Amino acid sequence: MNEAFIFDSIRSPRGKNKNGSLAQLTPVDLLSKLMLVLEKKYQLDTSLIDDVIIGCVMPVNDQGANIGKIAAQYSGWDVDIPSMQINRCCGSGLEAVNLAAMKIRSGWEDLIVSGGIECMSRVPIGADGGPMAFETKVSSKTNYVPQGIGADLIATIEGFTRQDLDEFALISQEKAFEAIKSKRFRSIVPIYDQNELLLIEEDEHVRPNTSLMQLSKLKPAFEKIGKNGYDDIALQKYTHIEEIRHMHTAGNSSGIVDGASITLVGSKRNATSQGLKPRARILSAATCSTDPTIMLEGPAPATKKALSMANLTIDDIDLIEINEAFAVVVLKFMKEMNIDNFDKINVNGGSIALGHPLGATGSILLGTLMDELEERDLSLGLVTLCVAGGMGIATIIERV
């Protein structure tokens, strides 16, 4: 079986929602800009690209109609390149990379552009009108509640306090601000407009002056909808608790942002002629599903599955990137995996500080992880995300 290597991973900065620096760009334009940078960086013969796989959570309107194919055409890439748009909700960007790795390992393909995009300013959450949330007979039968209710439910069951969540959020902000100051995000590509004027070169969602006092004053974001019926739905399944304590706020939950990322995956065959040098190999990839009501507990079981595939333990992993969809997701993962400190968790901050462009985040985290393994001269890294519907996804890489 062929090995699947990562040759490079680049991304846009993450732009603020609505009035951010990326809001004026269409998703096709943003994704195309990354493709052109990748092509120029390696003088890439695009006729050798076997596929383009792009994750997108809201694949409608500006992000619909197979955005990867349209962006490749718009970039002037070879007309023979096929593409597909995939949706594993928040795991889409990482799933795109994992699918690319599977294709490479099969030996049927040699070079694939993977990644994801989400321009949440233009295509907001819920724009697809999916039945999980919006078809009453479906949501009632499946005991659906919004993710924020699930996050508060986990915090209640596990005994995490509001201070626990806010303290973690503050750590995320501090790490992210320091990473930006120190230029740690080497995978970032500056984005220019059609007149070659700089739009954005750094993530702009970070709030460097955040304090624990400020975080503590924010109101719970999901208490109102919880009291309007969603709490009752969750408590029908989790009868051992009397009420859900609502503790997640805009300050300890992931930020809504625009962003894109692409990761170049391939075999060693033809790599040398293209000037491509492997930076990491993908050792294993796994998905799982847990209870869809509580929804956010997938990272630990997905990680255990990926570790088993690679014949590793969590202690073997040098660095971990876990998506900070909500603060409790990371705290729950650490508790279940018996990790007692933050030393190797999200060392440059996470989505609470930097934002979570849904379909792109998995690929972004992979690039961040690869950069940091190189920077610290470490070997093994893990990326994992919780996914809507109770799913989880995890990928383990080894630096080459």
Side-chain angles (χ1 to χ4, degrees), residues 55-71:
C56 182
V57 179
M58 295 295 148
V60 296
N61 301 327
D62 282 355
Q63 294 178 164
N66 196 349
I67 191 171
K69 178 59 177 169
I70 302 303

Side-chain angles (χ1 to χ4, degrees), residues 96-315:
V97 178
N98 291 348
L99 281 174
M102 294 172 197
K103 284 169 164 274
I104 300 303
R105 285 169 67 90
S106 75
W108 289 6
E109 295 181 0
D110 284 312
L111 192 62
I112 299 172
V113 173
S114 57
I117 187 164
E118 211 77 39
C119 291
M120 302 175 77
S121 295
R122 290 177 170 267
V123 189
I125 296 174
D128 62 346
M132 180 170 68
F134 296 107
E135 189 172 343
T136 304
K137 67 179 181 182
V138 174
S139 59
S140 61
K141 185 174 181 179
T142 57
N143 296 105
Y144 165 82
V145 298
Q147 289 189 1
I149 304 296
D152 287 337
L153 178 58
I154 294 171
T156 301
I157 292 171
E158 297 295 336
F160 295 120
T161 66
R162 169 68 183 271
Q163 184 168 341
D164 292 332
L165 306 181
D166 286 346
E167 285 177 351
F168 178 78
L170 182 61
I171 291 171
S172 180
Q173 293 283 355
E174 291 172 344
K175 285 181 175 179
F177 181 56
E178 182 59 36
I180 291 172
K181 282 199 308 179
S182 305
K183 305 293 183 183
R184 304 290 281 193
F185 297 122
R186 292 187 287 113
S187 56
I188 283 185
V189 171
I191 301 297
Y192 298 84
D193 68 9
Q194 68 272 19
N195 298 313
E196 294 303 314
L197 297 175
L198 181 65
L199 290 176
I200 183 173
E201 60 183 343
E202 293 180 344
D203 296 308
E204 62 182 11
H205 186 268
V206 178
R207 296 175 174 85
N209 298 318
T210 300
S211 70
L212 201 57
M213 178 67 73
Q214 290 173 323
L215 289 170
S216 69
K217 292 180 179 179
L218 296 175
K219 294 182 178 180
F222 307 101
E223 184 170 28
K224 184 175 181 180
I225 62 171
K227 301 304 182 187
N228 285 341
Y230 281 120
D231 282 3
D232 292 337
I233 294 172
L235 292 173
Q236 287 175 11
K237 291 188 72 172
Y238 291 87
T239 56
H240 61 291
I241 59 172
E242 293 183 0
E243 65 175 357
I244 297 173
R245 293 184 293 117
H246 292 284
M247 294 176 278
H248 282 89
T249 69
N252 56 36
S253 306
S254 57
I256 297 172
V257 294
D258 303 327
S261 174
I262 54 175
T263 300
L264 187 62
V265 182
S267 67
K268 278 190 174 179
R269 189 165 52 190
N270 298 328
T272 303
S273 64
Q274 286 288 291
L276 301 174
K277 181 181 178 181
R279 294 177 60 191
R281 64 170 55 85
I282 297 175
L283 296 184
S284 65
T287 54
C288 71
S289 187
T290 62
D291 174 47
T293 298
I294 207 165
M295 199 179 293
L296 305 171
E297 295 185 319
T303 293
K304 291 174 183 178
K305 191 175 176 181
L307 288 168
S308 178
M309 289 177 181
N311 196 27
L312 296 168
T313 71
I314 194 66
D315 294 331

